[in-house]
């Protein structure tokens, strides 16, 4: 192949790719997205952990990359998964560290992804069929069957459930302010935040603020210096209104509401004990997502 042909191919490839991914194929590329995520794999119907799997979207959503490892042992495997618009089917290429290679093909059938190697496998060694199904609880059930009679009958060799692998760190839960006078502080915070504490003890008071906990604990009466190191921002819709409310409630000005980029606005005030209370309006951050 001469240089001109190579140059032509490089220039034409993006246009060819765009034509291949247009139309109905765009939607079909996402048919397997229910498998995306970081999972713990359990033997179906039990709490026996058998493996860990991470399914990633790659190449601008065109393909899925599977990374699998057993919970105990050295076995590992990977697969590439992609919808092939030319053949109008899904294809998977699997390899593992035992030397096994599989080329499966198929598609979405009644909400289940069904792939097999009937076309490309060796019937004398056994054919393979794998089915993935999204369950109502958000998990994914995967069953792997093998046929020794050229696909006339199938025997299940693996039946597992992919459950979401929750991260060790689940996100913010509690913000604690130290105050010099617990009784006065509880009254002040109840008025400022418009809610009474759900937990009220001499050594601790807890307020449920939109699903997060604001805690008060006895401490030094002046925390002006240490309070500068960490600032917790509470979400608001109308930052100017809430800022005025805190000032009118007895907080002192620290930073007036200001824009910090686009629609994002922040402000901070100090409570009567020197703690900094942050306020933030951030329409891009949606806790429901």
């Amino acid at each position: 192949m001469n240089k001109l042909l190579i140059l032509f191919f490089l220039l034409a490839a993006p246009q060819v790719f765009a034509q291949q991914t247009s139309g109905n194929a765009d939607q079909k590329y996402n048919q397997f997205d229910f498998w995306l995520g970081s999972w713990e794999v359990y033997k179906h119907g039990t709490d026996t952990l058998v493996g860990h799997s991470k399914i990633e979207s790659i190449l601008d959503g065109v393909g899925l990359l599977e990374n699998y490892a057993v919970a105990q042992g050295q076995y590992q495997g990977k697969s590439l998964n992609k919808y092939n618009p030319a053949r109008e089917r899904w294809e998977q290429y699997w390899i593992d560290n035992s030397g096994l290679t599989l080329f499966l093909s198929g598609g979405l059938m009644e909400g289940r992804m069904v792939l097999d190697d009937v076309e490309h496998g060796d019937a004398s060694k056994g054919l393979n069929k794998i089915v993935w199904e999204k369950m109502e609880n958000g998990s994914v059930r995967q069953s792997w069957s093998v046929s020794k009679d050229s696909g006339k009958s199938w025997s299940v060799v693996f039946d597992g459930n992919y459950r979401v692998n929750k991260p060790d760190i689940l996100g913010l839960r509690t913000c604690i302010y130290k105050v010099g006078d617990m009784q006065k502080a509880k009254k002040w915070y109840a008025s400022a935040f418009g809610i009474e504490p759900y937990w009220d003890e001499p050594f601790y008071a807890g307020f449920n603020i939109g699903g997060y906990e604001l805690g008060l604990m006895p401490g030094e009466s002046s925390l002006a210096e240490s309070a500068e190191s960490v600032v917790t921002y509470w979400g608001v819709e109308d930052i100017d209104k809430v800022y005025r409310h805190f000032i009118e409630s007895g907080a002192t000005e620290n930073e007036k509401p200001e824009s910090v980029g686009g629609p994002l606005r922040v402000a901070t005030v100090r409570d009567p004990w020197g703690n900094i209370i942050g306020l933030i309006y951030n329409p891009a951050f949606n806790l429901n997502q």
Side-chain angles (χ1 to χ4, degrees):
M1 183 180 293
N2 59 41
K3 293 182 179 180
L4 288 176
L5 286 177
I6 294 175
L7 179 60
F8 173 79
F9 175 78
L10 292 176
L11 292 174
Q15 297 178 1
V16 173
F17 174 78
Q19 292 174 357
Q20 289 179 340
T21 59
S22 63
N24 294 332
D26 287 338
Q27 297 180 353
K28 292 184 177 180
Y29 278 120
N30 302 118
Q31 289 178 333
F32 214 172
D33 283 0
F34 66 84
W35 196 30
L36 290 171
S38 181
W39 308 92
E40 291 181 338
V41 185
Y42 293 83
K43 185 178 179 180
H44 177 65
T46 75
D47 288 324
T48 302
L49 180 67
V50 295
H52 306 277
S53 188
K54 184 175 183 180
I55 318 300
E56 305 174 79
S57 176
I58 60 173
L59 302 176
D60 297 326
V62 171
L64 278 68
L65 173 64
E66 172 190 10
N67 299 275
Y68 180 82
V70 293
Q72 295 183 351
Q74 302 298 317
Y75 181 76
Q76 299 180 48
K78 293 179 182 290
S79 74
L80 279 173
N81 305 264
K82 176 184 176 293
Y83 178 72
N84 184 341
R87 302 294 298 273
E88 296 186 344
R89 69 183 187 183
W90 272 87
E91 298 173 345
Q92 180 186 98
Y93 189 78
W94 163 271
I95 60 173
D96 63 32
N97 58 357
S98 75
L100 176 65
T101 299
L102 295 176
F103 180 41
L104 311 174
S105 61
L108 200 65
M109 300 175 60
E110 297 181 350
R112 303 186 304 164
M113 183 62 69
V114 182
L115 305 178
D116 63 52
D117 63 355
V118 172
E119 178 182 348
H120 303 283
D122 186 342
S124 64
K125 296 181 179 179
L127 299 176
N128 300 274
K129 178 170 65 175
I130 306 179
V131 179
W132 294 261
E133 180 180 6
K134 184 176 181 179
M135 311 305 290
E136 291 183 359
N137 62 3
S139 67
V140 174
R141 183 175 180 180
Q142 181 196 65
S143 62
W144 186 338
S145 302
V146 172
S147 174
K148 298 292 186 179
D149 55 10
S150 299
K152 296 178 182 178
S153 62
W154 297 88
S155 299
V156 176
V157 296
F158 174 78
D159 192 359
N161 284 107
Y162 284 67
R163 304 178 190 171
V164 174
N165 181 16
K166 294 183 179 180
D168 294 332
I169 305 300
L170 300 178
L172 295 175
R173 290 296 183 271
T174 302
C175 171
I176 294 179
Y177 296 112
K178 291 186 176 181
V179 296
D181 189 321
M182 283 290 288
Q183 292 302 318
K184 289 184 178 179
K186 283 188 289 187
K187 292 180 180 179
W188 190 86
Y189 272 87
S191 174
F193 279 83
I195 189 171
E196 293 294 324
Y198 77 92
W199 186 272
D200 190 352
E201 297 289 346
F203 56 86
Y204 183 81
F207 298 78
N208 184 339
I209 311 297
Y212 297 92
E213 181 162 344
L214 185 160
L216 301 178
M217 293 180 64
E220 297 295 330
S221 59
S222 179
L223 302 171
E225 294 183 2
S226 61
E228 296 284 358
S229 60
V230 178
V231 180
T232 299
Y233 287 87
W234 300 94
V236 298
E237 288 294 333
D238 189 333
I239 193 168
D240 295 297
K241 176 182 177 181
V242 177
Y243 178 81
R244 288 195 302 269
H245 166 71
F246 271 93
I247 297 299
E248 293 169 357
S249 297
T252 56
E253 178 183 306
N254 193 63
E255 295 174 321
K256 293 182 178 180
E258 63 176 346
S259 173
V260 290
L264 187 67
R265 300 185 71 207
V266 298
T268 57
V269 298
R270 289 184 183 272
D271 73 5
W273 299 271
N275 296 292
I276 294 180
I277 301 172
L279 306 174
I280 183 169
Y281 170 67
N282 183 2
F285 188 80
N286 186 349
L287 292 177
N288 294 324
Q289 292 180 346

